[in-house]
Amino acid sequence: MSSNPWSRRQVLKGALGAMAASAWPLGALAATPPRKPLGVALVGLGGYSEGRLAPALQLTKHCRLAGIVTGTPAKAKAWQARYQLPDRNIYDYDNFASIADNPDIDVVYVVLPNSLHGKYTIAAAEAGKHVWCEKPMAMNAAEAQRMIDACNRNKVKLAIGYRMHHEPNTRRIISWVDEKPYGAIRRVRAEAGFSAFDEDSRGNWRLDPARGGGAMYDMGVYALNGARYATGLEPVAVSARHETRRPQIFTGVDETTRFTLEFPGGIVGDCATSFGINMNQLHVDCERGWYELAPFQSYDGIKGRTSDGKVLDARVQHQQALQMDEDALAIMQGTPLRAPGEEGLADMRVMDAIFASAKAGGKKVTIAG
């Protein structure tokens, strides 16, 4: 889209050359860190922070868990004891702004319900801290742009938590956008979902539209982002429909969303996401064959195959550790981030169009550039 100054392919190519993801498990991400590891403060201590990010930060070389932000005093006390965090690095949401005065904290990682990503990304930027924000970046494209503007204005970096951009098998298929080992791409299928939630799940924020719940925000962003990085293109139009099999549970958010992306050159993306159906595949059809990853967005075990019998099965010790180490190293060295704020913004532009199309009963919606 010519009106968009950010070029997806340029970012991907620049990031691909910055470092080899597959080298990280062998300890060769960087021979000598240019400075001490970056101090990271996790904002929000839910399941993802507790189960994935905090353990990952015990494995990283270029960043470390330095602080936490939580509204639950009992959690603060337990985390402080577990990770030996000093009192000065424990924050709640009322005193969050004072993190600006703490030299131990270099990066704030926003791991909150989707509706709070914008607020705390902007607050962290205004405190002069680099920001890592979980996906989806925002509730809409306008909010995503405000987040980018705040980080630019305060001269801090913004990375979105797209861990798959760092995963080596995914990096391989991203490289094939330019290498074209199977000829030109014709069609892509991307599906991400799982079966969950029942009538006892009503308090879960993923079922609350005000907090950014629903399958499209939570899992659909994997399918959307996968279709974009697998083609190296930005979609120009989309048609989408929401489906609900359990309306007593999904009263204000989508249970399943199916959407078709139209890319330049006649390439089509068939995509789906769900909270009611298990799905986890990225498949690319080309003029001389095909390739796929299945699963393509699990926390481990990413693997793939090709029409001519190749197997994609490179492994990493921990996806989130790799993600955070590469983002930290990019900040320290001034090299491109693999998934900067502009990557999240590009997804949000399409997400806006997906919701508009579904609201209009599946009518095709042109995506603003």
Side-chain angles (χ1 to χ4, degrees), residues 182-189 267 283-291:
Y182 300 92
I185 293 171
R186 300 300 191 201
R187 200 173 194 99
V188 60
R189 182 171 71 254
I267 299 171
H283 182 97
V284 183
D285 286 312
C286 305
E287 61 182 346
R288 297 194 302 273
W290 55 264
Y291 46 90

Side-chain angles (χ1 to χ4, degrees), residues 281-303:
Q281 183 184 46
L282 177 62
H283 182 97
V284 183
D285 286 312
C286 305
E287 61 182 346
R288 297 194 302 273
W290 55 264
Y291 46 90
E292 68 179 14
L293 295 177
F296 88 100
Q297 46 79 18
S298 299
Y299 288 156
D300 53 41
I302 303 301
K303 59 183 178 181

Side-chain angles (χ1 to χ4, degrees), residues 206-263:
R206 288 177 176 82
L207 301 180
D208 184 352
R211 291 192 280 177
M216 189 64 224
Y217 276 124
D218 191 65
M219 296 298 293
V221 70
Y222 285 115
L224 167 56
N225 197 254
R228 290 180 50 247
Y229 63 63
T231 61
L233 297 170
E234 300 299 339
V236 295
V238 64
S239 302
R241 288 186 180 274
H242 295 322
E243 299 174 3
T244 303
R245 297 180 182 178
R246 298 172 290 169
Q248 73 278 16
I249 299 170
F250 296 90
T251 57
V253 300
D254 60 308
E255 180 179 10
T256 298
T257 297
R258 302 185 187 278
F259 55 101
T260 300
L261 302 171
E262 297 181 16
F263 291 97

Side-chain angles (χ1 to χ4, degrees), residues 37-269:
L38 298 182
V40 178
L42 297 177
V43 184
L45 305 183
Y48 193 65
S49 284
E50 182 174 21
R52 300 302 300 182
L53 296 179
L57 284 163
Q58 310 314 301
L59 302 173
T60 52
K61 299 177 181 179
H62 306 294
C63 51
R64 63 185 181 88
L65 178 60
I68 54 173
V69 182
T70 179
T72 306
K75 280 188 178 182
K77 186 173 295 186
W79 277 65
Q80 187 173 12
R82 184 182 309 159
Y83 295 109
Q84 293 80 54
L85 301 172
D87 289 342
R88 66 180 181 275
N89 294 356
I90 310 301
Y91 295 88
D92 58 33
Y93 298 106
D94 292 330
N95 66 9
F96 177 76
S98 65
I99 206 168
D101 303 320
N102 191 337
D104 292 347
I105 308 299
D106 302 291
V107 180
V108 166
Y109 198 147
V110 179
V111 201
L112 293 165
N114 303 330
S115 61
L116 296 174
H117 288 183
K119 176 180 179 179
Y120 285 95
T121 291
I122 292 171
E126 290 176 345
K129 306 301 181 181
H130 301 293
V131 187
W132 299 341
C133 178
E134 258 312 303
K135 61 80 191 164
M137 178 180 179
M139 294 291 285
N140 52 57
E143 183 178 55
Q145 186 64 63
R146 290 194 294 273
M147 295 160 69
I148 291 171
D149 291 344
C151 289
N152 289 340
R153 186 169 59 250
N154 289 282
K155 297 180 173 56
V156 297
K157 298 294 186 181
L158 171 59
I160 309 304
Y162 287 122
R163 57 191 166 83
M164 306 321 303
H165 283 243
H166 304 262
E167 194 278 326
N169 299 297
T170 307
R171 296 301 307 164
R172 183 90 175 271
I173 69 165
I174 288 173
S175 73
W176 287 350
V177 169
D178 288 325
E179 295 172 9
K180 295 181 173 56
Y182 300 92
I185 293 171
R186 300 300 191 201
R187 200 173 194 99
V188 60
R189 182 171 71 254
E191 300 173 336
F194 58 91
S195 182
F197 305 114
D198 55 29
E199 294 189 19
D200 294 329
S201 304
R202 295 184 186 277
N204 193 302
W205 70 263
R206 288 177 176 82
L207 301 180
D208 184 352
R211 291 192 280 177
M216 189 64 224
Y217 276 124
D218 191 65
M219 296 298 293
V221 70
Y222 285 115
L224 167 56
N225 197 254
R228 290 180 50 247
Y229 63 63
T231 61
L233 297 170
E234 300 299 339
V236 295
V238 64
S239 302
R241 288 186 180 274
H242 295 322
E243 299 174 3
T244 303
R245 297 180 182 178
R246 298 172 290 169
Q248 73 278 16
I249 299 170
F250 296 90
T251 57
V253 300
D254 60 308
E255 180 179 10
T256 298
T257 297
R258 302 185 187 278
F259 55 101
T260 300
L261 302 171
E262 297 181 16
F263 291 97
I267 299 171
V268 175

